[in-house]
Amino acid sequence: MNKAQLLLYCPDKPGIIAQVTNFITVNKGNIVYLDQYVDHVENIFFMRIEWELDQFLIPKEKIDDYFHTLYAQKYEMVYRLYFSDHKPRMAIFVSKLSHCLYDLLSRYTAGEWQVELPLIISNHPDLEPVAQRFGIPYYVFPITAENKAQQEQEEMRLLAENRINFIVLARYMQVISDRMIDAYPNRIINIHHSFLPAFVGAKPYHAAYTRGVKIIGATSHYVTGELDAGPIIEQDVVRITHKDTVEDLISKGKDLEKIVLSRAVHKHIERKCLAYKNRTIIFG
Amino acid sequence: MNKAQLLLYCPDKPGIIAQVTNFITVNKGNIVYLDQYVDHVENIFFMRIEWELDQFLIPKEKIDDYFHTLYAQKYEMVYRLYFSDHKPRMAIFVSKLSHCLYDLLSRYTAGEWQVELPLIISNHPDLEPVAQRFGIPYYVFPITAENKAQQEQEEMRLLAENRINFIVLARYMQVISDRMIDAYPNRIINIHHSFLPAFVGAKPYHAAYTRGVKIIGATSHYVTGELDAGPIIEQDVVRITHKDTVEDLISKGKDLEKIVLSRAVHKHIERKCLAYKNRTIIFG
Amino acid sequence: MNKAQLLLYCPDKPGIIAQVTNFITVNKGNIVYLDQYVDHVENIFFMRIEWELDQFLIPKEKIDDYFHTLYAQKYEMVYRLYFSDHKPRMAIFVSKLSHCLYDLLSRYTAGEWQVELPLIISNHPDLEPVAQRFGIPYYVFPITAENKAQQEQEEMRLLAENRINFIVLARYMQVISDRMIDAYPNRIINIHHSFLPAFVGAKPYHAAYTRGVKIIGATSHYVTGELDAGPIIEQDVVRITHKDTVEDLISKGKDLEKIVLSRAVHKHIERKCLAYKNRTIIFG
Amino acid sequence: MNKAQLLLYCPDKPGIIAQVTNFITVNKGNIVYLDQYVDHVENIFFMRIEWELDQFLIPKEKIDDYFHTLYAQKYEMVYRLYFSDHKPRMAIFVSKLSHCLYDLLSRYTAGEWQVELPLIISNHPDLEPVAQRFGIPYYVFPITAENKAQQEQEEMRLLAENRINFIVLARYMQVISDRMIDAYPNRIINIHHSFLPAFVGAKPYHAAYTRGVKIIGATSHYVTGELDAGPIIEQDVVRITHKDTVEDLISKGKDLEKIVLSRAVHKHIERKCLAYKNRTIIFG
């Protein structure tokens, strides 16, 4: 059954929940999900609400207009309206490491997620055989300092042609330029192979080994203009010991990376992530 | 600032959230907390809502009556109304092990929790010195098969005299009789030293060692008539290895037990636990 | 560089480590790994030791004979001798769920593990396309109450033909008969989708939901004649809340299952598991 | 039964284990613990070995001399010899927060640890009542920029008088000067309220909140001249959500801090920690 999914935030004021839930209920929408949260530091109200459309009196294509006129203006809401029958379209970017890509492809192929996957983009040809195994088109854009701007422009054209909604960087070892980030705000999901903000940048497992930490982690976040500093969606950790070599950390880290990235992608696909400033609201 | 705290559940119907939040808002109550959940299997709606009373138009002592008349009857709600300025009154039951007791007492004494602690009850005199260190009255009721019913009656009289709201079994090694359980439904919190439902009953660490598990746990739950089978409030685990002896499990388990019990007690004090059938809703 | 890998256990006596390490050292073997453990309850000594063979004075094919004569008899050792240049040969058994199979295949294909994978066996044809994607032969043996003994005989013939060293049950939904278990003692690795010994048997996620646990788990163990009761190799858990439906548990559990199974298989491939009675020694 | 406990490290060479274990065995020492590890990056051999002394042919007071002459010189070992019947003597430093202090005192008082606790030192009088509850002498040394050097000199005199072996900084909010650190190398244990190396320095929970992390941690480490950069003994983490305020992080962090600190202190008391450069070997 098709459902509307509404994510919003606005300055906190009395009566918002009552009004929004009343609007849906009196128009015969059956609310099947509601989660809200007030940030009392910033005084911002956040909500995710989902209702069934089969009896809803307002036609699907007019919901946005009505909601905007009746509530969003009044409460200065920033909001997004989705429909459960529209699958978001995902592009995956990879370089040479296959573990995250395999994990994403196996979930996609097994039908675990409500998502379309029209293409994979890479700066290297190495993982094309993996893409072929799963029948996903694979495009190679080698990147050099000289051609980077032009290649990204080609990539963006390809993404637009394929009506891509969001991008997953599955251990893609190239910094994304601001232009592409601006085109997909809070829609590019990266996996960083450390427990951020520890070990920003390259070779975090080597840095973790040198520092002698007892736990390593992985962090999935939305990409912003500042490296490894965007809003965090998901993190997880695993315990290590003095016996673990750098190679052991890399091996244990791979499991973390793929699980953490896939959890973040899943939350994004379910439209349960809302970024505000540099923090995320992850609805339950 | 004094706040009303309302926990409720009822058959799920459209409009409940809208009506309840509207009721509070139009009467000038400032909602500072709202969390709700629908169990779509049982079709039950659960909610916890909290609002500031300083501008609220309905006098504190009449809120219950109004809410009952206007909403609870209509929606067949089971509900509890609390006020943040009323500290719940807790009794602790112990036997001979001190680790959970110390943890509870140090939190109480440091003012971490909004709770009163009028007394500690034990079936052994061993921990009286601990109670004395913290200046809490300590009552000893030795239990035998013969005197159990009578001793519990004395305990219940003492609990009633001290207007106790809930009981914490901090490694109390006696089965509580049904009569006492019925007097404190979902108000007796136990800590079991295993990851329930694994290793029900006595000597769970020995059983865990024999089974060769790689992770041990502790479980805090409300006490019901069936041993170690009540609604679970909180669980946690810790990794072990083949090198850990039974004594190591007991030692590592103690840390788990005290943290898990204290988390559960904290949630209960904050009025964030709601038991329904054999499951708990733990509000965030 | 080729290495000998020796796993052993025997009644604990003074001098074993000194004698074994001395034997290797005086014969110019360079010890690169040593881990030992004494079970003081059973009074059993366990050891895993690994040394480089390039300078070792005893020819590779005579090491077993020498070790047996000089030490194993004397100390009543049970031992296994492996060589690092011999990759163990693994068979995977599956039914209809693909998540564990994908995880195993992607690690195998990416070259993460020193293992051969000559075949996949299933009681259903469903996952043949997955096997084909990775180019692994896939054999279907439908099982009924009537044909089970005969089909297993065929499977065992196929396993023998392919010189299979160990079997991984990647969510294989058939009980293995004692005859096959006896042929592969502590060489059949299963993944059970619960935190054993909680929720033995079928539908553990439904049972976990009903019990209202706050943490779910997965357990990888060697298969023995008693269902879900064999020596545990690895376990892990993930936190859940009252909001998680049975479907959510199944979804979250899948991630646990594949990671826990792969960790166990990895440990087995590295010859770091030793089962004694119903417990495992997992060398670090 | 009294036992010798030997911790050592030296350049890795063939035959060390064989020689040391042989030395103990031929002199009729019953080895009850042995754990060793080779750092193949630095090429350093680490070992902890423990043996019963009742039949040992070398008198207790001569073991150090014999071992030094026979092995330590030959292999350039750095080593420490302890005896299990000698309890180390611990001093606790605190400021105003009581949670770690209560945890240490309750373990000490319950007899969980083989340790003496002659005194508590603080720069504030606030926690004197806590010390009094447990009957431990409490000394106040208020610290200002002017008097710091002199006050530390007094503290060191007091520590020396009480033959203190190691110091626990239980949320002591003063930087220790190099002079005191040099007097207790790898013998001052601090708890830092973050997952180091993330959030070094003051107010880590505020920093964690601002960064929007999904997991917070605590780290116990030996104190060195560089702030929050010494060898890490133990770390642990707890999951948080967007709903957690800074106050919630502080509250959840307290539980982590006390458990992580107590685990580290326990490992130190058991003589199972060995620091080498900036990493620790934690024997199992």
Side-chain angles (χ1 to χ4, degrees), chain A residues 15 17-18 21 25 32 34 36 40, chain B residues 15 17-18 21 25 32 34 36 40:
Chain A
I17 298 176
T21 57
T25 304
V32 290
L34 185 153
Q36 56 81 51
H40 290 289
Chain B
I17 296 177
T21 56
T25 303
V32 290
L34 185 153
Q36 56 81 51
H40 290 289

Side-chain angles (χ1 to χ4, degrees), chain B residues 3-186:
Chain B
K3 286 173 270 191
Q5 297 165 326
L6 182 67
L7 279 87
L8 64 88
Y9 64 84
C10 61
D12 187 32
K13 280 186 190 150
I16 300 174
I17 296 177
Q19 291 219 14
V20 173
T21 56
N22 194 52
F23 163 72
I24 295 167
T25 303
V26 299
N27 289 299
K28 299 197 184 301
N30 184 29
I31 296 171
V32 290
Y33 180 98
L34 185 153
D35 196 7
Q36 56 81 51
Y37 159 71
V38 178
D39 180 334
H40 290 289
V41 177
E42 303 276 348
N43 201 40
I44 302 290
F45 172 84
F46 297 87
M47 185 160 70
R48 184 186 187 282
I49 190 162
E50 195 171 335
W51 67 96
E52 292 170 343
L53 291 177
D54 58 330
Q55 310 270 331
F56 200 52
L57 299 177
I58 302 169
K60 182 182 157 183
E61 62 280 5
K62 293 195 176 166
I63 296 172
D64 196 323
D65 182 38
Y66 277 49
F67 187 77
H68 186 261
T69 306
L70 294 172
Y71 302 101
Q73 286 186 320
K74 178 176 171 189
Y75 288 108
E76 301 172 78
M77 288 171 178
V78 176
Y79 73 98
R80 291 235 170 99
L81 179 68
Y82 301 99
F83 296 101
S84 64
D85 66 355
H86 175 260
K87 290 186 185 181
R89 295 171 68 79
M90 165 172 79
I92 300 176
F93 279 48
V94 293
S95 290
K96 293 184 173 180
L97 290 169
S98 64
H99 56 290
C100 288
L101 179 60
Y102 269 123
D103 202 60
L104 294 165
L105 288 174
S106 64
R107 290 169 198 271
Y108 168 73
T109 305
E112 281 187 28
W113 291 343
Q114 296 296 308
V115 72
E116 302 288 349
L117 175 55
L119 80 166
I120 297 168
I121 286 176
S122 182
N123 55 338
H124 294 287
D126 305 53
L127 298 181
E128 183 151 23
V130 178
Q132 282 173 344
R133 275 180 221 277
F134 291 82
I136 310 293
Y138 185 91
Y139 299 87
V140 182
F141 294 88
I143 307 276
T144 64
E146 290 72 35
N147 74 3
K148 182 159 183 168
Q150 194 187 332
Q151 291 289 65
E152 275 202 350
Q153 195 161 344
E154 285 301 302
E155 288 170 1
M156 288 178 71
R157 196 188 45 72
L158 190 63
L159 295 171
E161 266 178 31
N162 283 278
R163 289 165 293 120
I164 293 300
N165 297 109
F166 73 103
I167 297 167
V168 176
L169 308 183
R171 297 297 310 272
Y172 181 65
M173 299 283 95
Q174 275 287 327
V175 174
I176 303 290
S177 75
D178 285 351
R179 197 172 50 152
M180 194 182 286
I181 295 168
D182 292 344
Y184 295 92
N186 292 326

Side-chain angles (χ1 to χ4, degrees), chain A residues 72-284:
Chain A
Q73 286 185 318
K74 179 176 171 188
Y75 288 106
E76 302 173 77
M77 288 172 177
V78 176
Y79 72 98
R80 291 235 169 99
L81 178 69
Y82 302 99
F83 296 101
S84 65
D85 66 357
H86 175 259
K87 289 187 185 181
R89 295 171 68 81
M90 167 173 78
I92 300 176
F93 280 47
V94 293
S95 290
K96 294 184 172 180
L97 290 170
S98 64
H99 57 289
C100 288
L101 179 61
Y102 269 123
D103 201 62
L104 294 165
L105 289 173
S106 64
R107 290 169 196 270
Y108 169 73
T109 305
E112 281 187 30
W113 291 341
Q114 295 296 307
V115 73
E116 302 288 351
L117 175 54
L119 80 165
I120 297 168
I121 286 176
S122 182
N123 54 337
H124 293 287
D126 305 53
L127 298 180
E128 182 150 24
V130 178
Q132 282 172 343
R133 276 180 220 277
F134 291 83
I136 310 293
Y138 185 92
Y139 299 87
V140 181
F141 293 88
I143 307 276
T144 62
E146 289 72 36
N147 74 2
K148 181 158 184 169
Q150 194 188 332
Q151 291 288 66
E152 276 204 348
Q153 194 161 345
E154 285 301 302
E155 288 170 1
M156 287 179 72
R157 197 188 45 73
L158 190 63
L159 295 171
E161 266 178 32
N162 283 277
R163 291 166 292 121
I164 292 301
N165 297 109
F166 73 103
I167 298 166
V168 177
L169 308 183
R171 296 297 311 271
Y172 180 64
M173 300 283 95
Q174 275 286 328
V175 174
I176 303 289
S177 74
D178 285 352
R179 197 172 51 153
M180 193 180 287
I181 295 169
D182 292 345
Y184 295 91
N186 292 325
R187 288 160 182 257
I188 306 177
I189 300 172
N190 186 40
I191 180 70
H192 183 72
H193 40 314
S194 85
F195 185 79
L196 288 176
F199 310 124
V200 167
K203 294 203 171 282
Y205 293 125
H206 290 77
Y209 180 83
T210 302
R211 181 60 189 90
V213 293
K214 298 300 183 188
I215 290 174
I216 57 169
T219 304
S220 189
H221 63 93
Y222 289 119
V223 174
T224 59
E226 191 182 345
L227 186 67
D228 298 334
I232 293 170
I233 306 167
E234 170 70 351
Q235 301 188 287
D236 211 344
V237 297
V238 70
R239 196 167 278 273
I240 58 167
T241 77
H242 61 269
K243 294 189 181 177
D244 287 301
T245 63
V246 170
E247 290 67 38
D248 293 332
L249 301 198
I250 290 170
S251 167
K252 293 186 175 183
K254 278 181 179 174
D255 281 5
L256 270 183
E257 292 162 28
K258 73 186 187 190
I259 294 296
V260 168
L261 178 60
S262 287
R263 280 191 203 144
V265 171
H266 190 198
K267 280 290 182 185
H268 185 91
I269 290 170
E270 288 187 309
R271 289 115 178 194
K272 289 195 167 173
C273 307
L274 198 46
Y276 180 76
K277 294 190 175 174
N278 211 46
R279 309 176 75 233
T280 59
I281 314 304
I282 307 295
F283 293 104

Side-chain angles (χ1 to χ4, degrees), chain D residues 107-220:
Chain D
R107 290 169 197 270
Y108 168 74
T109 304
E112 282 188 28
W113 291 342
Q114 295 297 308
V115 72
E116 302 289 349
L117 174 55
L119 80 166
I120 297 168
I121 286 176
S122 181
N123 56 336
H124 293 288
D126 305 53
L127 299 180
E128 182 151 23
V130 177
Q132 281 172 345
R133 274 179 222 276
F134 291 83
I136 310 295
Y138 185 90
Y139 298 88
V140 182
F141 293 89
I143 307 277
T144 63
E146 289 72 33
N147 74 2
K148 181 159 184 169
Q150 194 188 330
Q151 291 289 65
E152 276 203 349
Q153 195 161 344
E154 285 301 301
E155 288 169 1
M156 288 179 70
R157 196 187 46 72
L158 190 62
L159 295 171
E161 266 178 30
N162 283 278
R163 291 166 291 121
I164 292 302
N165 297 109
F166 72 103
I167 298 167
V168 177
L169 308 183
R171 295 299 310 272
Y172 181 65
M173 299 283 94
Q174 276 285 329
V175 174
I176 303 289
S177 75
D178 284 351
R179 197 171 50 153
M180 194 181 287
I181 295 168
D182 292 344
Y184 294 91
N186 292 326
R187 289 160 183 256
I188 306 177
I189 301 172
N190 186 41
I191 180 71
H192 183 73
H193 41 314
S194 85
F195 184 81
L196 288 176
F199 310 125
V200 168
K203 295 202 170 283
Y205 293 124
H206 291 78
Y209 180 85
T210 302
R211 180 62 189 90
V213 294
K214 297 301 185 189
I215 290 175
I216 57 169
T219 304
S220 189

